[in-house]
């Protein structure tokens, strides 16, 4: 099963679908963690995902002066949570977020070397703010990974919203790729215009230089309350004003956000397919409320349907890429 | 015929359709001007427009330090051009742009009083930059118009792209309306997200205060060459990066720009109809090249079709507004 994700990533395929989750609080007793994991497994069984995405939650208090709408609670290590609670039971590979800016070279090296007999996937995360003290920079981390463990496939973060002001997100992505990054995952996506502008520059600059485009997984997350909306904004997620208004004034904010997220992804997926940019999707719930988690599972199923429908619809006109 | 535009504006209807033009250079001999006017009349006959929009071209060299891609050439006065060359022949009313920041109160008063026996329409334009010396501010101009000539229906400019950074374009529009402004016209529109955010804030703030929404005519203009694109950017028109890339890399930039403009308008018109925001369209050609003018006429016809189609499609679900 795990070869599927590897093949799709290495062949730079469109339509990779993952589900993202944050490990439970580390203060929970093991039975409670087992219970949480079992619920997650039950929800995801048969959802047809290519893999899990496991976040490495950092406090990030240095990133902003605003108060965190939800308190920061130390979570289980994502690799351990996956290996002890999900791997066997769910039978899908995991892309594990790993903060490479948070530790020294020794610790990073041993993390990279861990479990070298099996295929692993990661998203390497750099400093969350320029105020954070950094021991290892991202390009070095990608190079270390390539040298130490060829069975670890490292990915990176893209922030298309940053492209609006800085205009260089495609160059940042390219630089990561050149250091060894094989795919990208975004933050929760609501800004179609900024995302398309990033994709467009990434596409045309790749075409010009003859470089291959790596799969880009757009993250989607339902928003079920004004508080979740505030939390998303606190996380730095960019939400166009009209979309925020639609959510705030909706009689059913959760259902509206699922509709709007689906609409956002459909437009991006279509845009990518038409140009041969390999686009995928990672769904998550940024909240731990049951209704929001369940909405994220529904969104996951909706996106899978949308992917097949749009794929079939555009199949005759899609440019062939290898 | 001229009552139609008046009624539509006063009833705040959706679907007003106009065609914008810049008067010919004033250095042309009268026969040449007649010839230009005749061509424009021929193209517009039967196009089903509610009115013309006549621009009052200012140099605007103070607005930016960048070189103007096309030279500034003094044009005929728009009121005179309309009255002498188009009014009888075409039989549709004109919305005449008038720079109220460019002249003293006496001159503005006599312009407002001119031809008081007939219905007139105008878009009042303020200073093009904060560096420009202003004699009369917009709110005063609207108030003067209301006091001096009730048969002049003044409109104003909206700049939705400004809403992205400043977030107050809906308040600016509302302030103009309170001073007497009855409708709005935008610059050439390419940025759907910014336009929707402006519309959304305008809608929700109007709903909250119980204020009526005035018709907003989104301007569309084909772009047939890299030079026209440069000129649009010089004019301050905001073009999302992906859309600029699509144009630059297209094998047929003109056709692509018409397709994309149509797509932009369809999304905005649908968004407006669903909420009961009265949206209209004004098509123009910013270039004087024949192919671009002809493309603008085609776009006009396409938009008229799109308006009826979307109107019919959404008719059962449109909220009723008076």
């Amino acid at each position: 099963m795990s070869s599927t994700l590897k093949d799709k990533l290495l062949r730079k395929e469109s339509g990779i679908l993952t589900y993202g989750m944050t490990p439970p609080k580390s203060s929970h007793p093991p039975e409670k963690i087992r219970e949480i994991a079992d619920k997650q497994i039950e929800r995801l069984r048969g959802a047809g995902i290519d893999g899990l995405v496991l976040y490495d939650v950092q406090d990030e208090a240095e990133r902003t002066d605003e108060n965190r709408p939800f308190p920061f609670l130390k979570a289980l290590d994502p690799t351990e949570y996956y290996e002890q609670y999900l791997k066997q039971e769910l039978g899908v590979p995991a892309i594990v977020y790993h903060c490479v800016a948070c530790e020294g070279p020794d610790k990073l090296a041993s993390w990279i070397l861990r479990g070298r007999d099996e295929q692993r996937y990661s998203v390497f995360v750099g400093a969350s703010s320029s105020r954070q003290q950094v021991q290892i920079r991202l390009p070095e981390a990608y190079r270390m990974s390539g040298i130490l463990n060829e069975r670890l496939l490292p990915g990176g973060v893209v922030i298309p919203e940053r492209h609006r002001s800085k205009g260089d997100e495609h160059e940042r992505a390219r630089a990561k790729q050149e250091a060894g990054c094989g795919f990208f995952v975004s933050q929760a996506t609501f800004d179609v215009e900024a995302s398309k502008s990033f994709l467009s520059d990434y596409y045309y600059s790749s075409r010009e230089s003859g470089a291959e485009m790596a799969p880009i997984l757009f993250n989607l997350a339902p928003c079920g309350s004004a508080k979740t909306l505030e939390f998303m904004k606190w996380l730095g997620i960019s939400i166009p004003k009209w979309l925020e208004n639609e959510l705030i004034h909706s009689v059913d904010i959760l259902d509206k956000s699922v509709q709007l997220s689906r609409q956002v992804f459909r437009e991006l997926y279509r845009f990518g397919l038409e140009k041969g940019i390999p686009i995928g999707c990672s769904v998550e719930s940024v909240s731990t409320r049951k209704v929001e988690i369940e909405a994220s599972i529904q969104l996951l199923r909706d996106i899978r349907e949308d992917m097949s429908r749009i794929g079939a619809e555009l199949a005759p006109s899609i440019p062939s890429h290898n």
Side-chain angles (χ1 to χ4, degrees), chain A:
Chain A
M1 175 88 83
S2 76
S3 71
T4 315
L5 178 62
K6 184 185 166 194
D7 292 347
K8 287 187 177 181
L9 287 172
L10 293 179
R11 286 191 214 124
K12 301 174 190 339
E13 286 185 17
S14 290
I16 294 170
L17 185 62
T18 61
Y19 185 79
M21 51 173 71
T22 299
K25 282 183 288 183
S26 50
S27 59
H28 283 313
E31 319 82 75
K32 176 73 184 168
I33 296 172
R34 182 71 266 161
E35 193 188 313
I36 293 171
D38 285 345
K39 259 190 226 151
Q40 290 180 318
I41 290 162
E42 192 193 315
R43 288 192 184 106
L44 286 168
R45 207 161 259 154
I49 50 172
D50 295 300
L52 291 171
V53 168
L54 283 149
Y55 294 106
D56 185 15
V57 183
Q58 303 296 323
D59 191 357
E60 298 196 27
E62 286 172 349
R63 199 178 42 76
T64 165
D65 295 327
E66 312 249 329
N67 279 335
R68 202 180 203 278
F70 293 113
F72 172 70
L73 300 165
K74 206 168 153 32
L76 278 188
D77 174 80
T79 309
E80 280 166 22
Y81 179 54
Y82 170 67
E83 284 177 356
Q84 288 175 34
Y85 294 91
L86 304 168
K87 191 176 166 181
Q88 292 308 321
E89 292 81 347
L90 202 53
V92 296
I95 297 170
V96 177
Y97 270 58
H98 192 74
C99 177
V100 300
C102 307
E103 60 193 7
D106 288 6
K107 272 188 93 175
L108 179 60
S110 74
W111 188 84
I112 289 172
L113 285 163
R114 180 170 173 168
R116 251 200 307 178
D117 50 340
E118 55 185 335
Q119 184 60 44
R120 283 166 62 214
Y121 311 87
S122 179
V123 167
F124 283 3
V125 182
S128 67
S129 86
S130 52
R131 282 180 271 176
Q132 190 179 330
Q133 279 213 332
V134 172
Q135 307 206 43
I136 298 180
R137 304 208 162 266
L138 276 169
E140 297 168 80
Y142 288 118
R143 283 190 202 102
M144 267 176 76
S145 173
I147 293 164
L148 295 176
N149 184 357
E150 61 173 17
R151 299 194 71 181
L152 174 63
L153 187 51
V157 166
V158 279
I159 307 178
E161 295 87 347
R162 191 160 60 178
H163 197 63
R164 188 189 294 290
S165 51
K166 303 201 174 164
D168 65 351
E169 194 62 20
H170 62 300
E171 288 162 11
R172 288 169 188 250
R174 177 58 57 201
K176 286 181 189 172
Q177 259 181 280
E178 279 165 7
C181 171
F183 63 96
F184 297 97
V185 185
S186 80
Q187 267 198 315
T189 309
F190 293 102
D191 192 332
V192 171
E193 212 87 77
S195 301
K196 277 166 80 173
S197 287
F198 157 68
L199 288 175
S200 173
D201 278 342
Y202 183 60
Y203 167 73
Y204 284 110
S205 64
S206 301
R207 208 176 65 164
E208 206 163 289
S209 66
E212 266 197 304
M213 291 179 286
I216 297 162
L217 275 58
F218 282 97
N219 181 298
L220 300 179
C223 174
S225 70
K227 195 159 180 188
T228 303
L229 184 65
E230 282 318 300
F231 183 50
M232 285 181 164
K233 287 163 81 176
W234 184 89
L235 286 168
I237 294 167
S238 149
I239 303 174
K241 192 64 197 304
W242 72 267
L243 204 147
E244 185 179 339
N245 286 345
E246 294 285 288
L247 292 178
I248 293 170
H249 292 95
S250 169
V251 286
D252 185 344
I253 178 167
L254 185 58
D255 182 60
K256 189 79 189 179
S257 86
V258 167
Q259 275 178 44
L260 290 169
S261 289
R262 203 173 162 181
Q263 210 171 293
V264 163
F265 185 75
R266 278 199 291 244
E267 191 164 343
L268 296 179
Y269 194 60
R270 192 178 290 275
F271 188 79
L273 276 189
E274 281 169 351
K275 295 195 149 39
I277 313 167
I279 285 177
C281 183
S282 183
V283 178
E284 68 162 317
S285 170
V286 300
S287 139
T288 53
R289 282 174 58 214
K290 187 165 175 268
V291 285
E292 291 183 84
I293 295 174
E294 277 167 5
S296 71
I297 301 290
Q298 186 53 49
L299 180 56
L300 189 69
R301 295 178 189 270
D302 292 343
I303 293 295
R304 199 177 54 169
E305 262 183 49
D306 288 344
M307 281 176 167
S308 346
R309 196 177 37 75
I310 296 170
E313 195 185 301
L314 292 185
S317 60
I318 292 173
S320 71
H321 287 250
N322 51 338

